[in-house]
Amino acid sequence: MQVRNAVIPAAGLGTRFLPATKVVPKELFPIGDQPALQIVIDEALGAGIDHIIVVSNRNKPAIEAYFKPNDELIGKLEDSGKTELADRLRSIGRDWRATIVYQDNPKGLGHAVGCAQEAVGNEPFAVMLPDEIMGSSALLAQMNGVCSSTGGSVVAVAEVPRHQVSSYGVIDPSGDLSNDGVISVKDLVEKPPIDEAPSNYIITGRYVLTADAWGEIAALQPGRGGELQLTDALKAQAARAPFHAVLSDVSRHDTGNPLGFLTASIELGLVNPELQGDLRTFLGNLEY
Ligand code: G1P
């Protein structure tokens, strides 16, 4: 079954980016000429998803404004012959559907995702953490395929040095890694102490979950840090149903912090045909 819905949790206040986030949500910071959020949406659309559910917060009205048609601006662009740009603006939310739901109390990632249940309904869905920019739909498309062939939920994982595991959700794999990077998962644990981590495979910000995860999300109790953790819902799911991880080698940037944002801007600039030539020259001439 093709996954059609993607939930993008974007209710956080972006405190690591203050004062920049005082007015502009970090999901709308530009990478090249695109808001980071649009890059994540394009990744979803490239994997066949056509309904984007953004979990926002009422203190971030700019997110909602991004999805609203702006006929006046489009008219002005057309009048001045900028039809390509006008088309690009018109396409936001035209060939796909955007729904905004609200998480007004920050109770954790599991709670944020739970706020999207009604909008998604009884179907499998992707969860895409917008702090992570992948720049390609290949990983999500592969995860969709694994979800439909196994009938179970799938998380993306990356292998990291041991000292980093405590900042992430960690999987406990069972069996061997297949040639295409798929591994069966028997347990998941949120931010374990280093000596209790069951592996060096951390959960990165992409999930494809079967609809029965909603029950486990609704039943969540406070976990690590007193928050309702998505990882704990998946732990319960993996204990009773097939569950897999896909080891990702796509380059990924954590744009939740200023350095990650810079590296994402540089890497995506280096693959953008309009920017790459001058950017390469600039970087090559840098003296420091
Ligand atoms: C969240 C999840 C964690 C996951 C991480 C990926 O943590 O809870 O399991 O590994 O995202 O970025 P957060 O970064 O919100 O603390």
Coordinates of all heavy atoms in Angstrom, one line a residue, residues 117-198:
Q117 N -3.3 12.4 14.4 CA -4.1 11.1 14.1 C -5.3 11.3 13.3 O -5.6 10.6 12.3 CB -4.4 10.4 15.4 CG -5.3 9.2 15.2 CD -5.5 8.3 16.4 OE1 -5.1 8.7 17.5 NE2 -6.1 7.2 16.3
E118 N -6.1 12.3 13.6 CA -7.4 12.5 12.9 C -7.1 12.9 11.5 O -7.8 12.4 10.6 CB -8.2 13.6 13.6 CG -9.6 13.4 13.5 CD -10.4 14.6 14.2 OE1 -10.1 14.8 15.4 OE2 -11.1 15.3 13.5
A119 N -6.1 13.7 11.3 CA -5.8 14.1 9.9 C -5.3 13.0 9.0 O -5.6 12.9 7.8 CB -4.8 15.3 9.9
V120 N -4.6 12.0 9.6 CA -4.1 10.9 8.8 C -5.1 9.8 8.6 O -5.3 9.3 7.5 CB -2.8 10.3 9.5 CG1 -2.4 9.0 8.9 CG2 -1.7 11.3 9.6
G121 N -5.8 9.5 9.7 CA -6.8 8.4 9.7 C -6.1 7.1 9.8 O -5.0 6.9 10.2
N122 N -6.9 6.1 9.3 CA -6.4 4.7 9.6 C -5.6 4.2 8.4 O -6.0 3.2 7.7 CB -7.7 3.8 9.7 CG -7.4 2.5 10.3 OD1 -6.4 2.3 11.0 ND2 -8.2 1.5 10.0
E123 N -4.5 4.8 8.2 CA -3.6 4.5 7.1 C -2.1 4.5 7.5 O -1.8 5.2 8.5 CB -3.7 5.5 6.0 CG -4.9 5.5 5.2 CD -4.8 6.4 4.0 OE1 -3.7 6.6 3.4 OE2 -5.9 6.9 3.6
P124 N -1.2 3.8 6.8 CA 0.2 4.0 7.2 C 0.6 5.4 6.9 O 0.0 6.1 6.1 CB 0.9 3.0 6.3 CG 0.0 2.8 5.1 CD -1.4 2.9 5.7
F125 N 1.6 5.9 7.7 CA 2.1 7.3 7.5 C 3.5 7.4 7.8 O 4.1 6.6 8.5 CB 1.3 8.2 8.4 CG 1.4 7.8 9.9 CD1 2.2 8.6 10.8 CD2 0.7 6.8 10.5 CE1 2.3 8.2 12.1 CE2 0.8 6.4 11.8 CZ 1.6 7.2 12.6
A126 N 4.1 8.4 7.1 CA 5.5 8.7 7.4 C 5.6 9.8 8.5 O 4.7 10.6 8.6 CB 6.2 9.3 6.1
V127 N 6.6 9.8 9.3 CA 6.9 10.9 10.2 C 8.3 11.4 9.7 O 9.2 10.7 9.6 CB 7.0 10.4 11.7 CG1 7.4 11.6 12.6 CG2 5.7 9.9 12.1
M128 N 8.4 12.7 9.5 CA 9.6 13.3 9.0 C 10.0 14.5 9.9 O 9.3 15.5 10.0 CB 9.4 13.9 7.6 CG 8.8 12.8 6.6 SD 8.4 13.4 5.0 CE 10.1 13.6 4.3
L129 N 11.1 14.3 10.6 CA 11.5 15.4 11.5 C 12.2 16.5 10.7 O 13.3 16.2 10.0 CB 12.5 14.8 12.6 CG 11.9 13.7 13.4 CD1 12.8 13.4 14.6 CD2 10.5 13.9 13.9
P130 N 11.7 17.7 10.6 CA 12.2 18.6 9.7 C 13.6 19.2 10.0 O 14.2 19.9 9.2 CB 11.1 19.7 9.7 CG 10.5 19.6 11.0 CD 10.6 18.2 11.4
D131 N 14.1 18.9 11.2 CA 15.5 19.3 11.5 C 16.5 18.6 10.7 O 17.6 18.9 10.6 CB 15.8 19.0 13.0 CG 15.3 20.2 13.9 OD1 14.8 21.2 13.4 OD2 15.5 20.0 15.1
E132 N 16.0 17.4 10.1 CA 17.0 16.7 9.3 C 16.7 16.8 7.8 O 15.6 16.6 7.4 CB 17.0 15.2 9.7 CG 17.6 15.1 11.1 CD 17.6 13.6 11.6 OE1 18.0 12.7 10.9 OE2 17.2 13.4 12.8
I133 N 17.7 17.3 7.1 CA 17.5 17.5 5.7 C 18.3 16.4 5.0 O 19.5 16.2 5.2 CB 18.1 18.9 5.3 CG1 17.4 20.0 6.1 CG2 18.1 19.1 3.8 CD1 16.1 20.4 5.5
M134 N 17.6 15.7 4.1 CA 18.2 14.6 3.4 C 18.6 14.9 2.0 O 19.5 14.3 1.4 CB 17.3 13.4 3.4 CG 16.7 13.0 4.7 SD 18.0 12.2 5.7 CE 17.1 11.8 7.2
G135 N 17.8 15.8 1.4 CA 18.2 16.2 0.0 C 17.9 15.1 -1.1 O 18.3 15.3 -2.2
S136 N 17.2 14.0 -0.7 CA 16.8 13.0 -1.7 C 15.6 12.2 -1.1 O 15.5 12.0 0.1 CB 18.0 12.1 -1.9 OG 17.6 10.8 -2.2
S137 N 14.8 11.7 -2.0 CA 13.6 10.9 -1.6 C 13.9 9.4 -1.5 O 13.1 8.6 -1.2 CB 12.5 11.1 -2.6 OG 12.1 12.4 -2.7
A138 N 15.2 9.0 -1.9 CA 15.5 7.6 -2.1 C 15.3 6.8 -0.8 O 14.7 5.7 -0.8 CB 16.9 7.5 -2.5
L139 N 15.7 7.4 0.3 CA 15.6 6.6 1.6 C 14.1 6.4 2.0 O 13.7 5.3 2.3 CB 16.3 7.4 2.7 CG 16.1 6.9 4.1 CD1 16.7 5.5 4.3 CD2 16.7 7.8 5.2
L140 N 13.3 7.5 1.9 CA 11.9 7.4 2.3 C 11.2 6.4 1.3 O 10.3 5.6 1.7 CB 11.2 8.8 2.2 CG 9.9 8.9 2.9 CD1 10.0 8.6 4.4 CD2 9.3 10.3 2.7
A141 N 11.5 6.5 0.0 CA 10.9 5.5 -0.9 C 11.2 4.1 -0.6 O 10.4 3.2 -0.6 CB 11.3 5.9 -2.3
Q142 N 12.5 3.9 -0.2 CA 12.9 2.5 0.2 C 12.1 2.1 1.4 O 11.6 0.9 1.5 CB 14.4 2.4 0.4 CG 14.8 1.0 0.7 CD 16.3 0.9 1.1 OE1 17.0 1.9 1.2 NE2 16.8 -0.4 1.4
M143 N 12.0 3.0 2.4 CA 11.3 2.6 3.6 C 9.8 2.3 3.3 O 9.2 1.4 3.9 CB 11.4 3.8 4.6 CG 12.8 4.0 5.1 SD 12.9 5.6 6.0 CE 12.0 5.2 7.5
N144 N 9.2 3.1 2.4 CA 7.8 2.8 2.0 C 7.7 1.3 1.5 O 6.8 0.6 1.8 CB 7.3 3.7 0.9 CG 7.0 5.1 1.5 OD1 6.9 5.3 2.7 ND2 6.8 6.0 0.6
G145 N 8.7 1.0 0.7 CA 8.7 -0.4 0.1 C 8.8 -1.4 1.1 O 8.1 -2.5 1.1
V146 N 9.7 -1.2 2.1 CA 9.9 -2.2 3.2 C 8.6 -2.3 4.0 O 8.2 -3.4 4.4 CB 11.1 -1.8 4.1 CG1 11.2 -2.8 5.3 CG2 12.4 -1.8 3.3
C147 N 7.9 -1.2 4.3 CA 6.7 -1.2 5.1 C 5.7 -2.0 4.3 O 5.0 -2.9 4.9 CB 6.2 0.2 5.3 SG 4.6 0.3 6.1
S148 N 5.5 -1.9 3.0 CA 4.5 -2.6 2.3 C 4.9 -4.1 2.2 O 4.0 -5.0 2.2 CB 4.0 -2.0 1.0 OG 5.0 -1.6 0.2
S149 N 6.2 -4.4 2.0 CA 6.5 -5.8 1.8 C 6.5 -6.6 3.2 O 6.2 -7.8 3.2 CB 7.8 -6.0 1.1 OG 8.9 -5.5 1.9
T150 N 6.8 -5.9 4.3 CA 6.8 -6.6 5.6 C 5.5 -6.5 6.4 O 5.2 -7.2 7.3 CB 7.9 -6.1 6.5 OG1 7.7 -4.7 6.8 CG2 9.3 -6.3 5.8
G151 N 4.7 -5.4 6.0 CA 3.5 -5.2 6.7 C 3.7 -4.5 8.1 O 2.8 -4.5 8.9
G152 N 5.0 -4.1 8.4 CA 5.3 -3.5 9.7 C 5.9 -2.2 9.6 O 6.3 -1.7 8.4
S153 N 6.1 -1.5 10.7 CA 6.7 -0.2 10.7 C 8.2 -0.2 10.4 O 8.9 -1.3 10.6 CB 6.5 0.5 12.1 OG 5.1 0.8 12.2
V154 N 8.8 0.9 10.0 CA 10.2 1.0 9.6 C 10.7 2.3 10.1 O 10.1 3.3 10.0 CB 10.3 1.0 8.0 CG1 11.7 0.9 7.6 CG2 9.5 -0.2 7.4
V155 N 12.0 2.3 10.6 CA 12.7 3.5 11.0 C 14.0 3.6 10.2 O 14.5 2.5 9.8 CB 13.0 3.6 12.5 CG1 11.8 3.8 13.3 CG2 13.8 2.4 12.9
A156 N 14.4 4.8 9.9 CA 15.7 5.0 9.3 C 16.8 5.0 10.4 O 16.5 5.6 11.5 CB 15.8 6.3 8.5
V157 N 17.9 4.4 10.2 CA 19.0 4.4 11.2 C 20.3 4.8 10.5 O 20.5 4.6 9.3 CB 19.2 3.1 12.0 CG1 17.9 2.8 12.8 CG2 19.5 1.9 11.0
A158 N 21.2 5.3 11.4 CA 22.6 5.6 10.9 C 23.5 5.0 12.0 O 23.1 4.9 13.1 CB 22.8 7.1 10.8
E159 N 24.7 4.6 11.5 CA 25.7 4.1 12.5 C 26.5 5.3 13.0 O 27.0 6.0 12.2 CB 26.5 3.0 11.8 CG 27.3 2.2 12.8 CD 27.9 1.0 12.1 OE1 27.9 0.8 10.9 OE2 28.4 0.1 12.9
V160 N 26.7 5.4 14.3 CA 27.5 6.5 14.8 C 28.5 6.0 15.8 O 28.3 4.9 16.4 CB 26.6 7.6 15.5 CG1 25.6 8.2 14.6 CG2 25.9 7.0 16.8
P161 N 29.5 6.7 16.1 CA 30.5 6.3 17.2 C 29.7 6.2 18.5 O 28.8 6.9 18.8 CB 31.5 7.5 17.3 CG 31.3 8.3 16.0 CD 29.9 8.0 15.5
R162 N 30.2 5.3 19.3 CA 29.5 4.9 20.6 C 29.2 6.1 21.4 O 28.1 6.2 22.0 CB 30.4 3.9 21.3 CG 29.8 3.2 22.5 CD 29.0 2.0 22.0 NE 28.3 1.4 23.1 CZ 27.3 0.6 22.9 NH1 26.9 0.2 21.6 NH2 26.7 0.0 23.9
H163 N 30.1 7.1 21.5 CA 29.9 8.2 22.5 C 28.7 9.1 22.1 O 28.3 9.9 22.9 CB 31.2 9.0 22.6 CG 31.5 9.8 21.4 ND1 32.3 9.3 20.4 CD2 31.2 11.0 21.0 CE1 32.5 10.2 19.4 NE2 31.8 11.3 19.7
Q164 N 28.2 8.9 20.9 CA 27.0 9.8 20.4 C 25.7 9.1 20.7 O 24.6 9.8 20.6 CB 27.1 10.0 18.9 CG 28.3 11.0 18.6 CD 28.4 11.2 17.1 OE1 27.5 10.9 16.3 NE2 29.5 11.8 16.6
V165 N 25.6 7.8 21.1 CA 24.3 7.2 21.1 C 23.3 7.7 22.1 O 22.1 7.7 21.8 CB 24.5 5.6 21.4 CG1 25.1 4.9 20.2 CG2 25.2 5.4 22.7
S166 N 23.8 8.3 23.2 CA 22.9 8.8 24.2 C 22.1 10.0 23.8 O 21.2 10.4 24.6 CB 23.7 9.1 25.5 OG 24.4 8.0 25.9
S167 N 22.3 10.6 22.7 CA 21.5 11.7 22.2 C 20.4 11.3 21.4 O 19.6 12.2 20.8 CB 22.4 12.7 21.4 OG 23.5 13.1 22.1
Y168 N 20.2 10.0 21.1 CA 19.2 9.5 20.1 C 18.4 8.3 20.6 O 18.8 7.7 21.6 CB 20.0 9.1 18.9 CG 20.8 10.2 18.2 CD1 22.1 10.4 18.5 CD2 20.1 11.0 17.3 CE1 22.8 11.4 17.9 CE2 20.8 12.1 16.7 CZ 22.2 12.2 17.0 OH 22.9 13.2 16.3
G169 N 17.4 8.0 19.8 CA 16.8 6.7 20.0 C 17.7 5.6 19.4 O 18.4 5.9 18.4
V170 N 17.8 4.4 20.0 CA 18.7 3.4 19.5 C 18.0 2.1 19.3 O 17.1 1.8 20.1 CB 19.9 3.2 20.6 CG1 20.8 2.1 20.1 CG2 20.6 4.5 20.8
I171 N 18.3 1.4 18.2 CA 17.6 0.1 18.0 C 18.4 -1.1 18.5 O 19.6 -1.0 18.6 CB 17.3 -0.1 16.5 CG1 18.6 -0.2 15.7 CG2 16.3 0.9 15.9 CD1 18.4 -0.9 14.3
D172 N 17.6 -2.1 18.8 CA 18.3 -3.4 19.2 C 17.9 -4.3 18.0 O 16.8 -4.8 17.9 CB 17.7 -3.9 20.5 CG 18.4 -5.2 21.0 OD1 19.3 -5.6 20.3 OD2 18.0 -5.6 22.1
P173 N 18.9 -4.6 17.1 CA 18.6 -5.3 15.9 C 18.6 -6.8 16.2 O 19.2 -7.3 17.2 CB 19.8 -5.0 15.0 CG 20.8 -4.4 15.8 CD 20.3 -4.1 17.2
S174 N 17.9 -7.6 15.4 CA 18.0 -9.0 15.5 C 18.2 -9.5 14.1 O 17.7 -9.0 13.1 CB 16.6 -9.6 16.0 OG 15.6 -9.3 15.2
G175 N 19.2 -10.5 14.0 CA 19.5 -10.9 12.6 C 20.5 -10.0 12.0 O 21.1 -9.1 12.6
D176 N 20.7 -10.3 10.7 CA 21.8 -9.6 9.9 C 21.2 -8.6 9.0 O 20.1 -8.6 8.6 CB 22.6 -10.6 9.1 CG 23.3 -11.7 10.0 OD1 23.7 -11.3 11.1 OD2 23.3 -12.9 9.6
L177 N 22.1 -7.7 8.7 CA 21.8 -6.6 7.8 C 21.7 -7.2 6.3 O 22.6 -7.9 5.9 CB 23.0 -5.6 7.8 CG 22.8 -4.2 7.4 CD1 21.8 -3.5 8.2 CD2 24.1 -3.5 7.5
S178 N 20.6 -6.9 5.6 CA 20.6 -7.4 4.3 C 21.4 -6.6 3.3 O 21.9 -5.5 3.7 CB 19.1 -7.4 3.8 OG 18.7 -6.1 3.5
N179 N 21.6 -7.0 2.1 CA 22.5 -6.3 1.1 C 22.0 -4.9 0.9 O 22.7 -4.0 0.7 CB 22.5 -7.0 -0.2 CG 23.3 -8.2 -0.1 OD1 24.1 -8.3 0.8 ND2 23.1 -9.2 -1.0
D180 N 20.6 -4.7 1.0 CA 20.1 -3.3 0.8 C 19.9 -2.6 2.1 O 19.2 -1.6 2.1 CB 18.9 -3.3 -0.1 CG 17.9 -4.4 0.4 OD1 18.2 -5.1 1.4 OD2 16.8 -4.5 -0.3
G181 N 20.6 -3.0 3.2 CA 20.6 -2.2 4.4 C 19.4 -2.4 5.3 O 19.2 -1.5 6.2
V182 N 18.6 -3.4 5.1 CA 17.4 -3.6 5.9 C 17.8 -4.6 7.1 O 18.5 -5.6 6.9 CB 16.3 -4.1 5.1 CG1 15.0 -4.3 6.0 CG2 15.9 -3.2 4.0
I183 N 17.3 -4.3 8.3 CA 17.6 -5.1 9.4 C 16.4 -5.2 10.3 O 15.6 -4.2 10.4 CB 18.8 -4.6 10.2 CG1 19.3 -5.7 11.2 CG2 18.6 -3.3 10.9 CD1 20.7 -5.5 11.6
S184 N 16.1 -6.4 10.8 CA 15.0 -6.6 11.7 C 15.3 -6.0 13.1 O 16.4 -6.1 13.5 CB 14.7 -8.1 11.7 OG 13.7 -8.4 12.6
V185 N 14.2 -5.5 13.7 CA 14.4 -4.8 15.0 C 13.6 -5.5 16.1 O 12.4 -5.7 15.8 CB 14.0 -3.3 14.9 CG1 14.0 -2.6 16.2 CG2 14.9 -2.6 13.9
K186 N 14.2 -5.8 17.2 CA 13.4 -6.4 18.3 C 13.0 -5.4 19.4 O 12.1 -5.7 20.2 CB 14.0 -7.7 18.8 CG 15.3 -7.6 19.4 CD 15.7 -9.0 20.0 CE 16.9 -9.0 20.9 NZ 18.2 -9.1 20.2
D187 N 13.8 -4.4 19.5 CA 13.5 -3.4 20.6 C 14.1 -2.0 20.2 O 15.0 -1.9 19.3 CB 14.2 -3.9 21.9 CG 13.6 -3.2 23.1 OD1 12.6 -2.5 23.0 OD2 14.3 -3.4 24.2
L188 N 13.6 -1.0 20.8 CA 14.1 0.3 20.6 C 14.2 1.0 22.0 O 13.3 0.8 22.8 CB 13.2 1.2 19.7 CG 12.8 0.6 18.3 CD1 11.6 -0.2 18.4 CD2 12.7 1.7 17.3
V189 N 15.2 1.9 22.2 CA 15.3 2.6 23.5 C 15.7 4.0 23.2 O 16.5 4.3 22.4 CB 16.2 1.8 24.5 CG1 17.3 1.1 23.8 CG2 16.7 2.6 25.6
E190 N 15.0 4.9 23.9 CA 15.2 6.3 23.8 C 16.4 6.8 24.6 O 16.4 6.6 25.8 CB 13.9 7.1 24.1 CG 14.0 8.6 24.0 CD 14.2 9.1 22.5 OE1 14.1 8.3 21.6 OE2 14.4 10.3 22.3
K191 N 17.4 7.4 24.0 CA 18.5 8.1 24.6 C 19.1 7.2 25.8 O 19.1 7.7 26.9 CB 18.1 9.5 25.1 CG 17.6 10.3 23.9 CD 17.5 11.8 24.2 CE 17.1 12.6 23.0 NZ 15.7 12.8 22.7
P192 N 19.6 6.0 25.5 CA 20.1 5.2 26.6 C 21.5 5.7 27.1 O 22.2 6.3 26.3 CB 20.3 3.8 25.9 CG 20.5 4.1 24.5 CD 19.7 5.4 24.2
P193 N 21.8 5.4 28.3 CA 23.2 5.7 28.7 C 24.1 4.8 27.8 O 23.7 3.7 27.4 CB 23.3 5.2 30.2 CG 21.9 5.1 30.6 CD 21.0 4.9 29.4
I194 N 25.4 5.3 27.6 CA 26.2 4.6 26.6 C 26.4 3.1 26.9 O 26.3 2.3 26.0 CB 27.7 5.3 26.6 CG1 27.6 6.7 26.1 CG2 28.6 4.5 25.8 CD1 28.9 7.5 26.1
D195 N 26.6 2.8 28.2 CA 26.8 1.4 28.5 C 25.6 0.5 28.4 O 25.6 -0.7 28.6 CB 27.5 1.3 29.9 CG 26.8 2.0 31.0 OD1 25.8 2.7 30.6 OD2 27.2 1.9 32.1
E196 N 24.4 1.2 28.2 CA 23.2 0.3 28.1 C 22.6 0.3 26.7 O 21.6 -0.3 26.4 CB 22.1 0.9 29.1 CG 22.4 0.6 30.5 CD 21.4 1.3 31.4 OE1 20.3 1.6 31.0 OE2 21.8 1.6 32.6
A197 N 23.3 1.0 25.8 CA 22.8 1.1 24.4 C 22.9 -0.3 23.7 O 24.0 -0.9 23.8 CB 23.6 2.1 23.6
P198 N 21.9 -0.8 23.1 CA 21.9 -2.1 22.5 C 22.7 -2.2 21.2 O 22.9 -3.3 20.7 CB 20.4 -2.4 22.3 CG 19.7 -1.1 22.3 CD 20.5 -0.2 23.1

